[in-house]
Amino acid sequence: MLPLLPLLPLLLLLLPAAHGAVERVGYTPSLTKSPVLEGLTTGSTFVLDQPRCVFDKYSNADIWLVVALESTAANFSNSVAPGTAESAFQNFPDSVPAYMTLNATLANYPCPKPAGDITVLRVGSETSCSGDAARPTCNGPLPGPGPYLVKFLALEGSEPVAETGWSQPIMLRTAKSSNSISTTDGGHSAGMIALTTILSILFAILLAGLVAMFVFWGSDACGGSSTFSKPEAVSVRRYNTHHVYDQPAARL
Amino acid sequence: MAKSEDCIHILQGLLVFGNVVIGMCGIALTAECIYFVSDPHGLYPLLEATENDGIYAAAWIGIFVGFALFALSILGIIGIIKSDRTLLLVYIILMLITFAFEMASCITAATHRDFLTPNLFLKQMLERYQKAEPANNNDKWMTEGVTKTWDKLMLQNHCCGVLGPSDWQEYTSAFRSTHNDADFPWPRKCCAMDAQGLPVNLDGCKLGVPGYYNSNGCYDAISGPVNTHAWGVAWFGFAILCWTFCVLLGTMFYWSGIEY
């Protein structure tokens, strides 16, 4: 009996492992590529493609989404049960490495995907339950910019049976302060500079003309020949002066 | 002296014609500036809130300058036909004063137009749109003006933000402090609306599915009317001033040649 005793715990350990081998399906969750979405990543949400035609063998399984930070993903264990404090959204990322949300069955992800349908999962869309500890599977808004890793985990009962790989790191958007917008870098347009210059020159010429008018008030600066008279001015007529005509000698 | 008489009459005719044109342009300037001051596109609250409403000041000056030009052109016509030195001197001096005012109006319109960049409207929109707690009455008035104007702009022009809906994501804003990011990545008015004024598909709008939200920025809808306003005042005024310059020079020359 004695030599068997150390083997017993080993056998006990091996038994569950042999029973629950988690199949790794060849699918990596990714952000939606088609159609192009403006809100693909926002400050607290991101949009994933639904895992269609991935878990086809597991028609009885619940498919959960596991969300973790890149730095904590390695600490997540597949044996954590959904809907408990160890996988609660409200405890992420303070006391749990990842949370599980967006519970679905294969019926929610029919295969093949109908053409023209937009099949996405918006992570972070449920704002009403984000503080409610009674809703640990809440799909609440993400608490920071990330980077996040996600994977899908299929559970039959409470046994994990299949999982996808971890996704690429997903960074969310961070907002800059509106004070950082500079409003003084406009500069002056060429039109405005031309307009100002030309108008200033014209005004200067007019002022110079006004000064010239006053300086030459009364004097015929332009010369007598260009002086013109008012309409009612009297015109000077030439008078013939009387003089004695020289009589021809024949008249005498 | 016949040739000189003809020259006089030609000069008089030209000056009278010049003054007639000034008079008509004055009326046109007044009409144009009244149109701009009446703000048909409803953009004045945006400019008032940026404290950069110089183009409106320029338009107000333009209204009065237009009237002055019309009145002075009549005075000028009378003075030229009567060849009265006093009348023409008064005309020249008053015209110079009007010239100076119109010059100020043109330069103000052109300079202030250069201040109205996309960044200016972006910063103002982020700081004032749906601001929750205004500091005083003036602030409240401006916030309400900006919010109503943006709502109307986004609904009527099917646009969102200054450069696009991403404005609301890239920068923090007064709107963001009262509306959480998950429910309101951008304001509801950016969604495609049905006839009742409700979003056609709210989830599609929040996701940003093409067709369910307004993807263009509103800057074109703002800068179009503002540019028309500013350049209309500045360049039409500039054209009038160039013509007035020639007429004034001619009048000065005519005045200096009148016998007294």
Side-chain angles (χ1 to χ4, degrees):
Chain A
M1 277 300 278
L2 272 168
L4 278 174
L5 271 173
L7 283 175
L8 265 174
L10 262 172
L11 276 172
L12 285 169
L13 270 173
L14 280 172
L15 276 171
H19 206 276
V22 181
E23 184 196 347
R24 182 73 169 260
V25 297
Y27 174 78
T28 315
S30 65
L31 294 173
T32 306
K33 292 190 182 54
S34 162
V36 175
L37 297 176
E38 181 89 30
L40 187 68
T41 56
T42 70
S44 57
T45 67
F46 58 90
V47 183
L48 292 172
D49 268 329
Q50 288 181 357
R52 297 281 177 117
C53 310
V54 173
F55 294 103
D56 287 350
K57 291 191 285 187
Y58 304 97
S59 47
N60 288 334
D62 289 328
I63 303 168
W64 291 86
L65 178 71
V66 180
V67 181
L69 284 168
E70 190 178 20
S71 51
T72 63
N75 301 341
F76 174 74
S77 150
N78 283 343
S79 55
V80 166
T84 62
E86 284 89 30
S87 62
F89 166 77
Q90 289 78 12
N91 295 338
F92 175 80
D94 306 316
S95 47
V96 300
Y99 68 97
M100 299 170 77
T101 184
L102 280 175
N103 179 18
T105 62
L106 201 61
N108 298 116
Y109 302 141
C111 182
K113 172 176 104 83
D117 273 11
I118 299 175
T119 54
V120 296
L121 293 172
R122 188 162 184 245
V123 180
S125 60
E126 276 190 272
T127 48
S128 52
C129 57
S130 58
D132 187 358
R135 292 276 319 273
T137 58
C138 181
N139 181 19
L142 295 157
Y148 294 97
L149 296 181
V150 297
K151 72 174 182 181
F152 290 99
L153 187 60
L155 297 170
E156 273 178 6
S158 55
E159 296 288 322
V161 293
E163 64 171 1
T164 65
W166 286 107
S167 65
Q168 292 295 311
I170 297 170
M171 275 299 288
L172 298 182
R173 297 213 218 180
T174 27
K176 294 183 280 218
S177 166
S178 57
N179 292 334
S180 65
I181 302 173
S182 152
T183 55
T184 55
D185 55 351
H188 291 296
S189 64
M192 174 256 164
I193 293 178
L195 190 140
T196 311
T197 320
I198 294 176
L199 284 182
S200 310
I201 293 174
L202 293 185
F203 193 58
I205 295 175
L206 283 178
L207 282 181
L210 187 71
V211 166
M213 267 170 56
F214 287 135
V215 163
F216 295 117
W217 188 314
S219 67
D220 281 338
C222 303
S225 59
S226 63
T227 306
F228 42 81
S229 51
K230 294 185 184 179
E232 57 269 274
V234 177
S235 55
V236 177
R237 283 178 296 157
R238 286 188 59 219
Y239 284 94
N240 282 330
T241 49
H242 288 286
H243 63 277
V244 176
Y245 288 99
D246 284 335
Q247 301 283 352
R251 282 190 65 188
L252 284 172
Chain B
M1 292 295 280
K3 186 168 175 255
S4 193
E5 288 278 327
D6 280 342
C7 280
I8 299 165
H9 286 311
I10 291 174
L11 185 58
Q12 273 184 327
L14 281 178
L15 289 177
V16 165
F17 171 71
N19 274 296
V20 164
V21 171
I22 290 180
M24 294 196 299
C25 286
I27 304 267
L29 183 69
T30 301
E32 183 200 28
C33 290
I34 289 179
Y35 171 72
F36 287 135
V37 165
S38 72
D39 194 21
H41 294 275
L43 294 173
Y44 182 67
L46 293 186
L47 295 176
E48 184 190 25
T50 63
E51 278 148 30
N52 239 326
D53 55 353
I55 56 177
Y56 280 89
W60 275 110
I61 298 176
I63 294 178
F64 297 113
V65 163
F67 270 131
L69 284 175
F70 176 68
L72 284 178
S73 71
I74 296 179
L75 177 71
I77 291 173
I78 298 174
I80 287 168
I81 291 179
K82 288 172 117 182
S83 286
D84 185 339
R85 268 200 140 185
T86 321
L87 266 183
L88 281 182
L89 186 61
V90 167
Y91 165 81
I92 288 173
I93 292 179
L94 287 180
M95 262 299 207
L96 276 177
I97 295 174
T98 310
F99 191 100
F101 272 102
E102 179 60 19
M103 204 171 96
S105 163
C106 292
I107 294 177
T108 306
T111 312
H112 280 258
R113 167 63 199 92
D114 288 341
F115 291 157
L116 301 176
T117 53
N119 274 355
L120 182 71
F121 291 114
L122 179 64
K123 187 163 182 170
Q124 181 211 65
M125 177 186 82
L126 293 171
E127 285 176 0
R128 285 202 191 271
Y129 182 75
Q130 299 210 8
K131 185 171 167 184
E133 277 151 47
N136 51 42
N137 263 345
N138 190 33
D139 201 29
K140 185 159 174 275
W141 166 261
M142 288 207 237
T143 300
E144 277 173 20
V146 168
T147 305
K148 275 202 205 114
T149 306
W150 271 105
D151 284 340
K152 189 172 67 85
L153 259 179
M154 293 200 282
L155 264 179
Q156 284 179 350
N157 298 96
H158 304 294
C159 58
C160 185
V162 173
L163 302 168
S166 293
D167 290 344
W168 302 102
Q169 287 293 315
E170 276 179 49
Y171 297 98
T172 60
S173 55
F175 175 76
R176 180 62 61 228
S177 59
T178 46
H179 296 77
N180 66 67
D181 172 82
D183 280 333
F184 295 91
W186 33 78
R188 286 282 183 266
K189 292 280 189 288
C190 292
C191 300
M193 298 286 193
D194 60 15
Q196 277 80 34
L198 296 168
V200 170
N201 186 326
L202 192 56
D203 286 326
C205 178
K206 286 198 243 178
L207 280 172
V209 180
Y212 291 102
Y213 76 108
N214 301 329
S215 52
N216 298 327
C218 296
Y219 183 65
D220 286 336
I222 298 174
S223 71
V226 162
N227 273 346
T228 311
H229 176 143
W231 294 136
V233 170
W235 288 109
F236 186 48
F238 177 75
I240 295 177
L241 287 183
C242 288
W243 181 267
T244 308
F245 169 77
C246 299
V247 170
L248 272 180
L249 272 187
T251 313
M252 285 182 189
F253 176 71
Y254 183 81
W255 183 90
S256 62
I258 299 175
E259 284 182 0
Y260 64 95

